[in-house]
């Protein structure tokens, strides 16, 4: 297992240390955006990247097992998007700090 020794963290170097820890733990932060609202940057969905970068489908299954049955497409903003926003299918690969909005089928 990995071990961290954290001591003497000042506000000026704390953010850089936090970024290094996220990279070391191989985790991605994906932010959700409800329709018509701003993204929730306070509580990301944390996904492991150790088995390869996660897809939209992996994200949906982490949120709720039945979400893929209602899935129509996703809107994605961030490093993985070719344009803002990008309309994506279930196989789109997400990157750290992407923002995602799930659009469900009607009916």
């Amino acid at each position: 297992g990995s071990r961290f020794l954290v001591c003497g963290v000042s506000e000026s170097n704390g953010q850089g240390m936090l970024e290094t820890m996220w990279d070391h733990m191989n985790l991605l932060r994906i932010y959700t955006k409800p329709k018509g609202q701003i993204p929730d940057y306070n509580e990301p969905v944390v996904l492991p990247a150790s088995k390869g970068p996660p897809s939209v489908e992996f994200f949906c299954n982490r949120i709720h097992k039945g979400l893929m049955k209602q899935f129509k497409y996703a809107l994605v903003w961030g490093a993985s998007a070719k344009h803002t926003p990008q309309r994506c299918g279930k196989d789109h690969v997400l990157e750290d700090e992407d923002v995602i909005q799930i659009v469900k089928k009607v009916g």
Side-chain angles (χ1 to χ4, degrees):
S2 297
R3 296 179 190 197
F4 290 99
L5 175 62
V6 179
C7 59
V9 177
S10 69
E11 196 168 315
S12 63
N13 72 357
Q15 189 61 35
M17 181 177 285
L18 193 58
E19 290 297 322
T20 301
M21 287 171 50
W22 276 106
D23 291 344
H24 184 76
M25 292 186 294
N26 210 9
L27 298 172
L28 301 181
R29 295 155 289 186
I30 308 298
Y31 300 101
T32 56
K33 181 188 179 308
K35 185 176 180 180
Q37 298 179 31
I38 61 169
D40 180 2
Y41 290 110
N42 294 321
E43 295 190 31
V45 175
V46 178
L47 301 176
S50 55
K51 296 176 184 172
S55 65
V56 169
E57 182 175 19
F58 183 86
F59 170 86
C60 288
N61 287 330
R62 264 303 183 76
I63 299 298
H64 188 277
K65 290 291 182 196
L67 189 55
M68 280 311 297
K69 292 177 185 169
Q70 301 173 327
F71 180 84
K72 187 173 183 181
Y73 60 89
L75 295 173
V76 177
W77 293 257
S80 74
K82 291 184 175 83
H83 42 84
T84 305
Q86 181 178 350
R87 183 175 167 158
C88 304
K90 66 181 179 71
D91 296 326
H92 179 81
V93 173
L94 298 167
E95 294 188 29
D96 190 34
E97 298 194 78
D98 276 356
V99 174
I100 187 168
Q101 177 180 325
I102 303 300
V103 178
K104 297 178 183 178
K105 295 174 187 170
V106 178

